[in-house]
Amino acid sequence: MDFHEYKPKETVSPQRIALRGQSLLASPRFNKGTAFTRSERASFGLEGRLPYAVNSLEEQCDRAWEQIQTRTTDISKNTFLQSLKEQNWALYYALLSRHLRALVPIIYTPTEADAIANYSHIFRRSEGLFLTLPNEDKMEELFLEATRGRDIDLFVVTDAEAILGIGDQGVGGIWISTAKSVIYSLIGGLDPNRSVSVVLDVGTNNEDLLNDPLYLGWRERRVRGDIYDRFVDKFVQLIRKHFPHSLLHFEDFGIDNAHRLLQKYRDTHAVFNDDIQGTGAVTLACILAAIRISSHSTEHKPRLSDQRFVVFGAGSAGMGITVQLRDAMVTTDGISRQEANKCFWLIDKEGLLIDGNGGSDVNMRLRSEFYRTDEGWNQRPSGIVTLLDVIHRVHPTVLIGTSTRAGAFTEEVVRAMVDGLEPDQRPIILPLSNPSRLSEARPEDILNWTEGRALVATGSPFGTVKVNIGGKEREFVIAECNNALIYPGLGFGAILSHSRCVTDTMLVAGANRLAELSPLLGEVGEGEAQNGAGILPDIDIAAGINFEVGIAVAEQAVREGSAAVDLRIEEVRAKAEAKVWVPIYSEYIYDETGMKD
């Protein structure tokens, strides 16, 4: 599935443009470069400003692809693409869409982390909105200046405290906001001119940045408490006041603030946190697909709450996944929160979480809901209940790894899990830590140890692996449990429906749609698994997948009354097709009163 099948070029209306000459060539939103037609060159004063030949967008992509291949490092490729984005949006996004698997790791994780860490040294051109604590009194003025004359669908904001596994990056965090905005346009179909990337510069505790004479941010230690809350709230209220139907995406906030801010605002505006909800939603989709396959021989339709989940790693990722799965059980299975909590066994560096007092921070309070109080857990001499101990006693159906402890899912652990299941039941094993060197187990090992029975997805790309089963070599596609398969669609659906808030039922609807598109389920019906296929679709078709996710989310918003626009369910798909943005050139007509950049 590709966006181009939803919106062919002939459906894109001509645009009336007021820019001419160099001003038009300098506008990344409108610039076509060598693709300006003969008539456009004459109308817009471009003759003599461009080489004679007229290229198609496809030819321009071929040239740009040749150019990027001459770059020898990922960071130099990242810099090249950033420069291309500053020149020509359509070409930039068209190039990315044609080489998605190769270039997403360059413009996003892992390469973007290196760019962010060196932001103040490789800075060339400003992009996004910088709201800094010393300018708090002028925040509304700065906000309105950046958004004047624009219809904004999406705000992506970070305070840069927890960037991509590299921690506090101060003002450099603006590039995680811009990268996330790019993914929304590239894979989610949102018009890049209708999104704003924001960094809330509230200082930094990164000593290297504080001591760097070239650091571009506010050179003070990170503020906390009431001052911080007042600053963030002022920003959120500006969005609610001026763009009440927009989506506010929180990105890479510290774990305490991430959970707290999501809970504070989720009932009053459409807010979303990818680190919590996106990670949880894509894992939920993976598990929904897997349990339908694993339990296809049972007489009743499998439920999430029928599963026994062991989560190895109770940090931010593990907790985000656990909470999302728990909330989905409450929503779909109709059980209480307390009942759903009992389906989970969480293990951290101190072993199984038992009889905790909850602590004072948000993460500890979240964890405390899942502490096991069952009699006998705390009777081991060492006081630590290991992963293997839990496997032997619980007989989990799902094992999730978010620990960054390479090799933690040993052969003994995996075989013990299989031994605890019914003969026709397939273990669901998700070593999600990334990068691949930190994965809890290699997928080919898991498949070898389980004789191909395991349903496996990973947090990093492993591609296709070969496994010898019963003396015969078989190939298995290892699904990547990648947020990009779902969060742009979740956002697109919320924006499409003008949702008042992003509800748990909307997230579950999106996850269910992604699960239905599992290659393992195939076209012949649930349970008729295609041997060797991945649990989730390939990242190469993420655009079409997210389009379907977005429709499911918008339909659910209409169904439950969360939508703030007059829309019938049967109208959602047509509206989505009209709304989706694709990187193609439209015809330009010169008009002095037309659009300006």
Side-chain angles (χ1 to χ4, degrees):
M1 285 179 285
D2 189 281
F3 278 154
H4 296 274
E5 69 184 68
Y6 301 123
K7 199 161 190 172
K9 189 177 190 305
E10 56 267 22
T11 67
V12 179
S13 301
Q15 288 183 281
R16 296 187 175 276
I17 308 294
L19 299 173
R20 285 178 56 82
Q22 191 59 36
S23 296
L24 179 55
L25 294 175
S27 166
R29 180 184 177 189
F30 298 119
N31 181 27
K32 297 183 185 181
T34 58
F36 280 108
T37 64
R38 297 267 178 250
S39 60
E40 287 173 335
R41 294 180 188 206
S43 298
F44 290 92
L46 299 176
E47 292 177 314
R49 296 180 184 272
L50 293 167
Y52 181 78
V54 176
N55 288 143
S56 66
L57 180 56
E58 196 66 40
E59 289 169 333
Q60 289 180 315
C61 285
D62 290 343
R63 179 184 296 117
W65 181 242
E66 283 186 4
Q67 292 171 345
I68 198 169
Q69 288 181 303
T70 66
R71 272 61 180 180
T72 57
T73 65
D74 287 347
I75 194 67
S76 65
K77 293 176 182 178
N78 177 283
T79 303
F80 171 84
L81 289 168
Q82 178 66 24
S83 177
L84 182 62
K85 183 171 66 166
E86 293 168 359
Q87 299 171 48
N88 183 329
W89 283 356
L91 176 54
Y92 170 76
Y93 284 104
L95 176 66
L96 294 179
S97 69
R98 285 158 174 77
H99 303 280
L100 204 62
R101 181 178 296 279
L103 296 183
V104 165
I106 301 298
I107 63 163
Y108 187 47
T109 180
T111 309
E112 189 69 5
D114 293 334
I116 292 169
N118 290 285
Y119 176 79
S120 294
H121 290 260
I122 61 178
F123 174 88
R124 290 187 300 182
R125 180 177 177 178
S126 181
E127 180 182 13
L129 175 59
F130 300 81
L131 297 177
T132 309
L133 191 63
N135 293 330
E136 181 180 2
D137 291 345
K138 298 192 295 183
M139 185 186 292
E140 185 164 20
E141 175 187 344
L142 301 176
F143 179 88
L144 292 175
E145 183 64 32
T147 58
R148 181 173 291 116
R150 299 169 63 188
D151 293 323
I152 306 300
D153 288 330
L154 170 71
F155 291 88
V156 181
V157 62
T158 185
D159 73 350
E161 186 175 8
I163 297 290
L164 291 175
I166 59 174
D168 189 339
Q169 297 300 317
V171 75
I174 187 64
W175 275 354
I176 193 58
S177 294
T178 58
K180 217 71 174 187
S181 295
V182 164
I183 300 296
Y184 269 111
S185 295
L186 175 66
I187 296 176
L190 293 178
D191 185 340
N193 192 56
R194 298 174 70 96
S195 67
V196 177
S197 305
V198 186
V199 63
L200 302 178
D201 187 355
V202 292
T204 178
N205 291 337
N206 186 323
E207 294 292 342
D208 290 338
L209 297 180
L210 291 171
N211 294 322
D212 184 352
L214 294 181
Y215 178 58
L216 289 168
W218 184 46
R219 202 184 298 271
E220 297 290 342
R221 294 203 168 274
R222 187 172 287 273
V223 299
R224 306 283 187 189
D226 292 343
I227 297 175
Y228 175 89
D229 287 349
R230 183 190 68 215
F231 188 71
V232 173
D233 187 67
K234 187 168 186 176
F235 168 70
V236 174
Q237 299 311 323
L238 286 175
I239 291 176
R240 296 188 62 205
K241 174 182 177 181
H242 296 288
F243 299 96
H245 301 305
S246 65
L247 175 69
L248 173 55
H249 177 121
F250 290 112
E251 182 67 23
D252 283 355
F253 283 71
I255 181 63
D256 292 351
N257 287 327
H259 283 279
R260 188 170 59 84
L261 294 175
L262 179 62
Q263 294 306 316
K264 180 176 181 179
Y265 295 112
R266 67 175 304 180
D267 294 330
T268 59
H269 192 82
V271 299
F272 178 75
N273 186 303
D274 186 41
D275 306 299
I276 299 170
Q277 295 164 298
T279 300
V282 73
T283 307
L284 170 62
C286 187
I287 292 170
L288 286 172
I291 63 176
R292 292 169 189 172
I293 299 157
S294 175
S295 308
H296 71 270
S297 62
T298 59
E299 294 182 0
H300 70 282
K301 184 177 180 180
R303 305 189 309 166
L304 276 173
S305 53
D306 294 331
Q307 310 304 310
R308 298 178 297 277
F309 296 87
V310 170
V311 181
F312 188 67
S316 57
M319 291 309 307
I321 291 169
T322 301
V323 170
Q324 183 68 69
L325 290 169
R326 187 270 312 279
D327 292 347
M329 289 180 195
V330 173
T331 299
T332 61
D333 296 348
I335 64 175
S336 70
R337 182 172 171 134
Q338 291 71 28
E339 288 178 287
N341 288 342
K342 294 177 181 178
C343 295
F344 297 90
W345 288 260
L346 271 58
I347 302 171
D348 212 345
K349 58 186 176 182
E350 63 266 35
L352 179 70
L353 301 188
I354 305 170
D355 294 331
N357 59 17
S360 59
D361 62 83
V362 172
N363 196 34
M364 288 299 292
R365 290 198 299 273
L366 284 171
R367 285 160 53 123
S368 69
E369 288 193 69
F370 300 94
Y371 280 120
R372 305 304 302 196
T373 57
D374 308 305
E375 184 178 353
W377 278 119
N378 55 3
Q379 293 178 2
R380 290 187 57 81
S382 67
I384 295 177
V385 180
T386 68
L387 172 60
L388 189 58
D389 295 331
V390 176
I391 296 290
H392 280 306
R393 179 167 169 179
V394 170
H395 307 306
T397 58
V398 182
L399 176 59
I400 301 171
T402 55
S403 66
T404 67
R405 282 185 55 188
F409 294 172
T410 64
E411 181 175 359
E412 186 178 13
V413 165
V414 172
R415 289 191 183 276
M417 180 179 178
V418 173
D419 290 343
L421 300 179
E422 297 297 324
D424 63 345
Q425 196 170 13
R426 303 179 68 178
I428 301 167
I429 303 178
L430 311 178
L432 299 182
S433 292
N434 53 48
S436 56
R437 61 182 174 80
L438 298 179
S439 180
E440 284 79 8
R442 297 190 310 163
E444 57 264 43
D445 289 336
I446 295 173
L447 290 165
N448 270 316
W449 298 332
T450 62
E451 298 181 339
R453 284 176 59 187
L455 294 165
V456 183
T458 57
S460 297
F462 279 88
T464 300
V465 300
K466 295 180 179 181
V467 180
N468 190 297
I469 299 174
K472 183 179 179 180
E473 186 175 80
R474 289 180 54 191
E475 289 189 349
F476 291 82
V477 176
I478 305 304
E480 184 183 355
C481 199
N482 191 322
N483 295 22
L485 286 171
I486 198 166
Y487 83 79
L490 296 174
F492 183 71
I495 291 167
L496 188 67
S497 61
H498 286 188
S499 177
R500 298 178 181 87
C501 53
V502 179
T503 64
D504 288 336
T505 46
M506 289 165 63
L507 296 174
V508 171
N512 264 314
R513 185 64 183 122
L514 176 56
E516 291 167 357
L517 296 170
S518 167
L520 261 176
L521 291 174
E523 298 180 356
V524 291
E526 201 167 283
E528 301 289 340
Q530 298 175 353
N531 287 336
I535 303 175
L536 293 176
D538 194 274
I539 191 69
D540 286 341
I541 59 170
I545 295 297
N546 276 281
F547 184 82
E548 294 297 326
V549 168
I551 289 173
V553 170
E555 288 176 344
Q556 178 60 31
V558 172
R559 190 177 294 114
E560 69 186 37
S562 299
V565 63
D566 186 15
L567 182 66
R568 296 194 303 272
I569 289 179
E570 57 269 23
E571 298 172 332
V572 169
R573 183 171 292 271
K575 184 174 181 180
E577 291 171 352
K579 175 77 172 176
V580 71
W581 179 87
V582 294
I584 53 181
Y585 293 133
S586 62
E587 177 189 354
Y588 288 173
I589 299 171
Y590 182 66
D591 182 350
E592 289 185 1
T593 64
M595 286 187 294
K596 296 183 179 180
D597 206 2

